[in-house]
Amino acid sequence: MGKNDKKGGDKAGSKAKGGDKEAGGKAKGAQLINVRHILCEKHGKKEEALAKLNDGAKFDEVARNYSEDKARVGGALGWKPKGSFDPKFEEVAFALEPSTTSNPKIGEAKTEFGYHIIMVEGRK
């Protein structure tokens, strides 16, 4: 019985390890994110952009039409490491799950630059 108990413990331990890995991957594992944003100086314009996204418009198209970021390449900021954003932006961005421009999982942040609608395409 002692052996069986140990095997049972190993199985439970393996499951717990897998769970820890996943949680660890989300909490501290991602040091790089491939991020896009829509930046609007005014709250009203940000709300218009959100309405378009909620109506099913693609994130990159809404970014091209609404973002006041000078880059305006569909809102793409590329792969960025932790520490390269405003802390308010970063807190939201690193908490988001990866998604696609056609079905984005979005977050919002307000910084000194304005109102951001944020999505993440990848995490490393």
Side-chain angles (χ1 to χ4, degrees), residues 17-124:
K17 269 187 184 175
D20 289 344
K21 243 184 200 174
E22 187 178 329
K26 286 184 181 176
K28 62 182 177 182
Q31 293 301 311
L32 283 172
I33 54 172
N34 187 4
V35 65
R36 288 180 182 261
H37 78 146
I38 298 168
L39 172 64
C40 300
E41 286 182 27
K42 302 212 181 297
H43 185 266
K45 190 166 184 181
K46 187 254 320 174
E47 290 297 314
E48 284 179 40
L50 268 178
K52 292 283 184 191
L53 291 170
N54 290 333
D55 286 344
K58 287 186 172 188
F59 192 94
D60 52 337
E61 290 171 11
V62 175
R64 274 189 216 100
N65 294 320
Y66 286 87
S67 187
E68 295 163 10
D69 183 0
K70 289 175 177 59
R72 285 199 193 180
V73 187
L77 298 173
W79 286 97
K80 299 289 183 187
K82 254 187 180 169
S84 57
F85 299 112
D86 179 286
K88 293 172 191 163
F89 183 102
E90 191 165 286
E91 183 181 339
V92 173
F94 275 87
L96 286 169
E97 290 179 37
S99 59
T100 62
T101 57
S102 57
N103 189 19
K105 293 179 183 176
I106 58 173
E108 296 179 56
K110 182 175 186 320
T111 69
E112 64 181 284
F113 304 105
Y115 297 90
H116 303 264
I117 302 169
I118 307 163
M119 71 160 286
V120 171
E121 291 184 287
R123 298 167 64 90
K124 289 183 186 178

Side-chain angles (χ1 to χ4, degrees), residues 1-14:
M1 263 223 173
K3 284 183 180 179
N4 287 342
D5 287 344
K6 189 175 182 184
K7 282 183 185 175
D10 285 348
K11 279 185 183 176
S14 296

